[in-house]
Amino acid sequence: MWLKPEEILLKNAFKLWLTEKDNEYFVMQRRRGYGEGGGGLTGLLVGTLDTVLDSTSKVAPYRILHHTPDSQVYWSIACGVTKDEIFAHWDWLQQNIMRTLSVFDSSEDITSFVQGKIRGLIAEEGKTSLGLEDDPEKFREALLRFEKWFELPPQEKLVTYYSCSYWKGKVPCQGWLYLSTNFLCFYSYLLGSEVKLVISWDEIWKLQKTSNVILTESIHILAHGEDHYFSMLLHLNETFLIMEQLADYSIKRLFDKEAFIGEPALCDPVQVTKRGLEAYARSAQFRTFFRLPKQENLLEVHESSLWLPFSHYNTLGKICISENYLCFASQDGSQCYVIIPMRELASVEQPDATSRAVTVCVRSKRALRFSDVQNYQQLANTIRTRCGISASPQHSASSQSIQAQSRSHINHFEDNTEEANLRVQQKDSSKTVSTEALMTVFHPQDVENLDPKMLKEKMKEQSWNIHFSEYGRGTTMFFTRKTRDLIVRGVPEALRGELWMLFSGAVNDMASHPGYYTELVEQSLGTSTLATDEIERDLHRSLPEHPAFQSDTGISALRRVLTAYAYRNPKIGYCQAMNILTSVLLLYAKEEEAFWLLVAVCERMLPDYFNRRIIGALVDQAVFEDLIRENLPQLVEHMTDLSFFSSVSLSWFLTLFISVLPIESAVNVVDCFFYDGIKAILQLGLAVLDYNVDALISCQDDAEAVTILNKFFDSVTNKDSPLPSTVQQASAAIHDKTPHVNVDISELIREAYVKYGNINSEEVESSRKRNKLYVIQTLEDTTKQNVNRVVAQDVRFSASQLDQLYNLFKRQHFLSCYWMMQSPALLHHDPSLAYLEQYQLGFQQFTVLFSLLEPWAFCTAKSTLSLWAFRLIDKNQDGLVNFKEFCDALDTLCYGSFTDKLKFLFKLHLPPAFTGNPLYLKEQRIQQFVPVTEDSSHLSRPAAFDLPEDGVIRKSPERGRGKLNLQAYLTQWQNEILKKEETIKDLPRINQTQFIQFSKTLYNIFHGDPEEESLYRAVAHVTSLLLRMEEVGRRLQEPSSPVQSTGSPSSSAEKDAVTEDTGDTEQSPESSHSGSHSSQKAESSDEWSFSFEQVLASLLNEPAIVGFFEKPFDIQAKLGQAKVAQLKLKVKK
């Protein structure tokens, strides 16, 4: 590697370096202790220095120095890990530099020329990803050490590195921590003791900061059941954040199969940088705080003061600018924040240089003045530029015309309520998008009603109107503590839909996608998939007691919203609990608004909640457990196992308490959720447990605790709800004769905010990341146990061996995903499939792993036998092999009887495995074994509890948006039940071409065995015997056949078997497909074939062959070797 020229004093290095080559201008040296004559005390000391000191010249075993005859100064210009590398640099200098140096007159000119040339070479190399690093020179040095010490594939991208101590037991080892895209690595070498650690991010169970008596501050990692501690870090918080980001990146990429489309910093795993990770993390935090669409990225941040007209003072905070939004948050994040879409900005005034102020005017005839901005001119220019971009036809003219049309329609129906009701309730409601909230239709407010509840409702509306007049209304409204106070007191029925849209950010999604929902409805209606079947099943289970969902109007609207969302996001599709949530959204929001609210909930506010494994809900339950330990110690002392609360609270998180509370009370919880996010649900959960803590402590078992909580939820009421009794849910406490005090939902929410309002959103997000690792690894461990339990029924591997096999298989799957986003394993991944199908191998991955484990080393990476083995094992011919298929084949080769192993080899040379000419196969290999792209538009992901216990569901016969063929399911199921053991009589006969190839395979298997010669003779004897048997049979069947044909099959076959090579057989195209009728007609009268019984009987007469196949095989040793070699094979490849 070329180095930036640095001046060194050679006289201080004589004891550490030995000169290998030199000339008038250059010296090549070898580090003492490396290469020939290395070792001893010198080697130990040098190795220790190389590890501890941060300099490439003290690490690389070889280096090249530049000097001039009349100067005592030497310059380091190159270093190398291997002799080949340094010699390549030396040869380049001799060929390109030495001839030129003779033309210079002075030493200064020579040195300047050499330095300039070396810097030019480095600059050329720096055009790659190194140019994105903060300090390219130091990063090059660290990269050299990283490649030398860990020998990972060259495409593995080093992200950053730190000096630290690794605690091996009670002894700290000082060394270097390297964080790459897929691995965490540590290296230390102190006085002959080498410590090398490589952990892939997908294997980590825990990642957290910790401290104890010995380690004041350290980073704790749990992987493979072992604890690892790293301390003495100069920037511990920065290191931990980078670790957290890399672990999260790996989890999303490998487990969630996220492709990071639209994220240039992360879309290519071989180009990930520390800077890119930090930018992505900042943008994600920015989007979460301001509830912005996923496409927004944080572009600029400016410190400034914002004039608050309602408080008459300036508040200090930060301006955050993205592609389409201008946002401001006060310094503490809770006092005040405002979100201004660029489309709402009317103008930007000329900046005020004296106060460094920028004033922007919004369309609602308000102005915002940002002062004390350091780069005020840049801020003004950025806003003007962004306004010009956002004022495109899509965001300005089109949206205004659509809003005007919508407003005219709404005004028309407000003036003609009868026509509105008629249109909403018309018969063809399945295709017409509803323009009114269902509550408006089924429970219109009576203006003249003056009962106390309606009066209180009017007072709430008046309070909000006053708030709007002071703080603004719509997308440019200021959010303050007063806003939260009004939310806690309760949102009036008439404003609920509007405020939900505003607080969730759905209003911006809808404004930037005009007409999108209508198009989705038109495209999705009429499709029939597993998702639509499940939606139809759950439609009448969604708030069945509410009048809106007892009519076709509500049911049709619910169907349209759920089907459109499943069509929009096939990765989620439809999951249980989405119907309950959407029903409530439709009560208070228009149909299109309900759709965008559902988008906001599923894709931003509750990430990973609505999928097959409900990972997001499980993660938040783990966060909830942490908060219980922190805030309710008396409950923890009584119930040491908090998993009970996880099982009880699952429905709280999935349905936002809608499934456990009466609807008139649950909507108040939803109000708080849209304003404060998951924090509101966590607070309320703690308040519920706190309210019942005495009763829970005194209960004897879990069933009693469940009863206590159910009775409590039944007693929750909303005394201020203006809804009539026909709409409200009847409380179960009314029918319960035991006295129970009713609890008002507003009081319960207020108590939750008072007692637990100090929960920090940033801490919740950090806890989510920390717990997500453990939750996913726990689910993966459960999946492994389920898979192994199924596979163990049909194989003879021990439980420990199956566990190791699964780990190797899973890692091989991940190796195909580590360095690319478009690998077949990712492209064809379907999370709705059963356990056995979760991890599958394509042909290339299968070849690597199978060659490491099969007992006879006959399937090499480039062998056509690997191709035939893959075809034979891939029973459903989808171009992918699952774990059970792989284990079944390996079990046959390792533990099968002589007959089983021979049957496997026999079938290896029959269709579909063997199809003829090997040359033809080489040309067609890629086309035949890249799996056909499946339609990934299937919409459903069944919940975890819908899966069968054994997990043996196969892929659906038909997928996508077409009609499901249920008969095909039944036929497939019946075939699996009636599946009988294959007998040797079921096997077809092997023809001449196939038998020749079969003989060659036996020769390949026996190659290198100590008894190789006797085995070869046995094969030749068996071949000769079979051919003679065939001749005798042909003579008996055709007694009148000419005598001249005698001996021709034997001689021709033996000649073919000796002269032909496995990869060079030449055949006519007609004989390349032995199963076709046309080739059979073209066969000559001399064509012959054998049955499996004939081959088996002949081979049983050869003790050498029988002994070879019945020789015991040590699979345990193979598993250990494969674990070490798995990654190194990838390197060589």
Side-chain angles (χ1 to χ4, degrees), residues 155-176:
Q155 60 265 47
E156 179 63 18
K157 177 66 173 66
L158 177 63
V159 176
T160 188
Y161 61 98
Y162 300 95
S163 173
C164 71
S165 291
Y166 169 65
W167 290 79
K168 192 175 182 182
K170 296 183 179 180
V171 180
C173 303
Q174 183 65 31
W176 290 91

Side-chain angles (χ1 to χ4, degrees), residues 25-36:
Y25 298 107
F26 300 102
V27 179
M28 185 175 72
Q29 295 181 325
R30 172 173 56 84
R31 188 90 163 143
R32 188 183 294 273
Y34 290 91
E36 299 176 2

Side-chain angles (χ1 to χ4, degrees), residues 617-672:
L618 296 176
V619 169
D620 282 344
Q621 283 181 305
V623 175
F624 188 50
E625 286 185 20
D626 292 343
L627 292 173
I628 292 174
R629 292 188 186 93
E630 184 180 339
N631 294 280
L632 298 171
Q634 67 274 33
L635 194 59
V636 176
E637 290 174 8
H638 178 73
M639 304 180 73
T640 53
D641 184 11
L642 298 182
S643 60
F644 161 75
F645 295 111
S646 295
S647 59
V648 170
S649 63
L650 181 60
S651 61
W652 304 359
F653 290 95
L654 281 174
T655 65
L656 309 179
F657 284 93
I658 295 171
S659 62
V660 294
L661 288 175
I663 185 63
E664 66 275 7
S665 301
V667 291
N668 285 35
V669 179
V670 179
D671 295 339
C672 299

Side-chain angles (χ1 to χ4, degrees), residues 680-697:
I681 306 300
L682 295 169
Q683 289 174 178
L684 186 60
L686 290 173
V688 168
L689 296 181
D690 188 26
Y691 193 93
N692 297 278
V693 65
D694 294 333
L696 291 171
I697 288 175

Side-chain angles (χ1 to χ4, degrees), residues 765-835:
E765 287 300 319
S766 177
S767 182
R768 273 178 162 180
K769 290 180 181 177
R770 184 173 64 251
N771 284 288
K772 186 176 182 180
L773 290 172
Y774 187 80
V775 166
I776 285 184
Q777 296 293 3
T778 303
L779 290 172
E780 288 292 311
D781 200 51
T782 304
T783 298
K784 178 169 70 173
Q785 293 172 14
N786 290 331
V787 170
N788 288 347
R789 187 173 66 250
V790 173
V791 174
Q793 299 172 6
D794 301 320
V795 298
R796 283 152 284 194
F797 295 116
S798 66
S800 172
Q801 290 169 349
L802 265 182
D803 188 80
Q804 294 177 68
L805 272 173
Y806 184 89
N807 292 335
L808 287 169
F809 191 89
K810 178 180 172 182
R811 186 167 196 184
Q812 193 65 44
H813 168 88
F814 280 162
L815 282 173
S816 68
C817 313
Y818 274 169
W819 301 286
M820 64 177 71
M821 286 293 191
Q822 302 298 324
S823 68
L826 290 179
L827 290 173
H828 304 284
H829 175 76
D830 180 5
S832 70
L833 295 175
Y835 297 130

